[in-house]
Every structure is written in structure tokens, then in C-alpha cells.
Amino acid sequence: MFSYLSALAYLVGVVAAAALALLVAFQERLVYVPVLPGLSKSYAITPARLRLTYEDVWLRSADGVRLHAWFIKIFPDCTDIAHRLEFVRIMLQRLHCNVFLLSYRGYGASDGDPSQHGIIMDAQAALDHLFQRNDIDTSKIIVFGRSLGGAVGSALAKNNPDKVSALILENTFTSILDMAGVLLPILKWFIGGGGSKGPKVLNFLVRSPWSTIDIIGQVKQPILFLSGLQDEMVPPSHMQMLYQKAAEKNSRCLFIDFPTGMHMDTWLSDRNHNFFVTFEIFLFLEVAFYKKNYFLYSIL
């Protein structure tokens, strides 16, 4: 019996060690997905093909990585477009804004490999570029982020309180530390954020913790939280916790949920476009430049 239990314990140890090694080696592939399975890294469609007025923008991050972005200008006669450009099209029509779309390092046509430190530098490079332009009103920049973009946007807004006018988050997680336990439940006993119950002895192995829950309380600008209650990737409770943490010190927070919204299609789940009506109300009440030629800096 003793030898059987010893062998079993040894086997469990080997399996745990192998799982831990895989986590350490491939964690970036779980956090960052520059190319969806079955798709090419090159852009399947561009604004030009869809008759949108735009500008290709090439940037350099602080560490020299070359980044690509699209600056899509207000154009009232734009037609049908696909994927995220359809989202942009509605922004142009409903919000009367310009949109700046950034590809992080390793994404799209940008060089480099994604990392938390690197992507934060990329977002800063994009914001700095906007402040060098003379064709926009830099006093009216709003950051929008969906999922990982919300973590990036929160860091950017916190680091630039005088440059970012407001922050909009959609289906964003509290932290990658907390998401580890969502993706692989056994990990919640060893990896987790401040609210987790486990010993968190393996937190040091996570190279990109993206702890939005620790940042959001330091954002002083108005914040709009948009949560899809059918989110199949990030538990909706994460958005609720982010809102509660922000609202403790920031009275200019608004939380809106969408009962049928999933992780990537919350804006599509609302056929009456109340998703964008919420944008308009938020901008009018909290940012106070509704229907003016404000600029929207979007991280998707």
C-alpha cells in the first residue's frame, strides 16, 4: 500500500510539474492572440476597400518597436464594412468622431512580440502621436478598450490624467491572475489577485498580470462600464468588481449591462443600438462635448 501511495504521489507531482512548465512556457499565447485560428496575420480587409477615409500611421514605441495604426476620419457616407470596422462605422455615424486604431506589437502589421510592459509603451506612443497632430482637438481624447484593450486603456488613462478625457471599458477582466483560475479552475488555489482565497504562491510566474483592479481605482477621469451578461470568456462579475472599485473614489462612473451580450458581440446584441446611445448619454453628461468634433482614441 505504501509503495502504491508513493507512486501515486510521484505521478501527481510529475503531472503538476509538467502543467506548471507548460504554463510558464506558453502563458503569453494564452494572454495574447495576435492571430485567430484559421486566419492570416495580414489584414483581411482595410478601410480603403470599404471606402472609408483613413491614414496609415507608423509609430515607434519607446524601445524602438515599429507599430502600425489606422487613423479613420469622420466620413458621413461610409458603407457596409465587416468585423471591427463595422463597429467603427457606427461610431463614425452616431458619435461624429474620428477613430484611431492601434495594432499592438506582434499584432497586425506591427513588429515585435507582445508583453505587458511593451504594450503599455505602445499605447503611450500612440497617445503621444495624437498630441503631435495639428488636425485634432487633443483636449477631447477618449480611450475605449474591449477585453485586453480595457486593461491597456485603464493603464493609459491612469498614466495620463491630463491627456485622456474619459475611459470606456467593455467586458474587461479584473486581472490575468484572476483569469488563470477561470481558464483552469485548479489554478485559482495557487494564482490569483487580491481578492482570491488561495495562497497565490505561483503569482510570481505570471509575466503579464494586467491587474486592472489595482489600476482602476486610480483613474480620475469619467469611466463608462459596458458589460455583456452572457460573456463566455470573462465572467461578468469582473466588470462589476471593476466598477465597484472605481466608484469608491470616482463619482463619475456609469455601469450599463446588456442581458444578451457575449464577449465580442455585446454591441451587436442590441438591435436598437442602445449600446451607442449609452455612449452618447455618457459623453453628454460626463464629458460635456456631445455632438462636437471630439476625437475618439480607440484601443480594440
Side-chain angles (χ1 to χ4, degrees):
M1 176 64 70
F2 179 77
S3 59
Y4 172 77
L5 292 177
S6 298
L8 180 60
Y10 178 77
L11 178 61
V12 170
V14 170
V15 171
L20 184 60
L22 289 172
L23 174 65
V24 172
F26 297 106
Q27 59 181 277
E28 272 80 10
R29 296 188 183 183
L30 298 175
V31 177
Y32 308 111
V33 188
V35 183
L36 294 176
L39 297 180
S40 169
K41 185 179 178 182
S42 60
Y43 301 123
I45 198 167
T46 68
R49 179 179 171 185
L50 302 165
R51 290 180 286 178
L52 288 173
T53 301
Y54 83 108
E55 172 187 339
D56 270 310
V57 178
W58 293 96
L59 312 170
R60 288 284 179 184
S61 198
D63 58 352
V65 174
R66 188 170 182 256
L67 308 173
H68 178 249
W70 284 334
F71 176 66
I72 304 175
K73 302 179 181 180
I74 299 172
F75 187 55
D77 298 322
C78 54
T79 56
D80 291 339
I81 52 181
H83 196 43
R84 291 180 181 177
L85 288 178
E86 173 65 12
F87 179 79
V88 171
R89 181 187 69 83
I90 299 176
M91 275 188 173
L92 297 175
Q93 292 180 336
R94 295 295 298 269
L95 306 181
H96 308 287
C97 63
N98 302 306
V99 177
F100 191 85
L101 292 169
L102 170 68
S103 288
Y104 311 131
R105 60 185 61 205
Y107 286 71
S110 296
D111 295 339
D113 298 309
S115 67
Q116 178 172 332
H117 178 68
I119 288 177
I120 288 176
M121 287 194 296
D122 298 346
Q124 187 65 52
L127 183 61
D128 293 343
H129 165 79
L130 299 181
F131 270 79
Q132 295 171 5
R133 300 184 69 103
N134 57 15
D135 58 346
I136 62 172
D137 185 347
T138 55
S139 68
K140 299 171 181 177
I141 293 179
I142 302 169
V143 172
F144 169 79
R146 176 184 296 144
S147 192
L148 173 62
V152 181
S154 298
L156 187 66
K158 175 247 181 183
N159 293 338
N160 297 272
D162 299 327
K163 292 183 176 181
V164 174
S165 295
L167 174 65
I168 300 175
L169 303 183
E170 179 191 346
N171 297 335
T172 296
F173 45 77
T174 54
S175 72
I176 291 297
L177 298 173
D178 291 329
M179 283 300 296
V182 172
L183 298 174
L184 192 59
I186 193 174
L187 289 178
K188 67 182 179 181
W189 299 106
F190 307 102
I191 297 176
S196 64
K197 298 179 180 179
K200 298 176 286 189
V201 294
L202 300 181
N203 277 10
F204 72 97
L205 295 175
V206 180
R207 292 187 286 267
S208 294
W210 287 113
S211 189
T212 311
I213 192 69
D214 294 327
I215 292 175
I216 201 68
Q218 302 176 57
V219 176
K220 306 303 180 184
Q221 301 95 316
I223 311 174
L224 172 61
F225 297 83
L226 302 168
S227 177
L229 298 186
Q230 301 302 316
D231 193 327
E232 73 284 10
M233 293 184 64
V234 178
S237 60
H238 282 222
M239 284 289 287
Q240 295 167 0
M241 287 188 283
L242 289 174
Y243 168 73
Q244 291 167 3
K245 184 64 177 289
E248 289 177 0
K249 297 182 178 179
N250 188 342
S251 62
R252 296 183 295 171
C253 294
L254 177 64
F255 185 95
I256 303 293
D257 58 39
F258 297 85
T260 62
M262 299 181 71
H263 188 66
M264 296 299 292
D265 75 345
T266 294
W267 64 281
L268 279 173
S269 68
D270 178 9
R271 296 184 182 276
N272 295 319
H273 287 168
N274 288 331
F275 184 94
F276 294 96
V277 171
T278 302
F279 271 62
E280 294 171 331
I281 294 173
F282 173 73
L283 296 175
F284 178 70
L285 294 178
E286 298 292 351
V287 188
F289 42 80
Y290 174 61
K291 284 194 174 179
K292 296 183 180 178
N293 186 23
Y294 57 80
F295 183 88
L296 180 64
Y297 169 48
S298 179
I299 305 177
L300 296 179

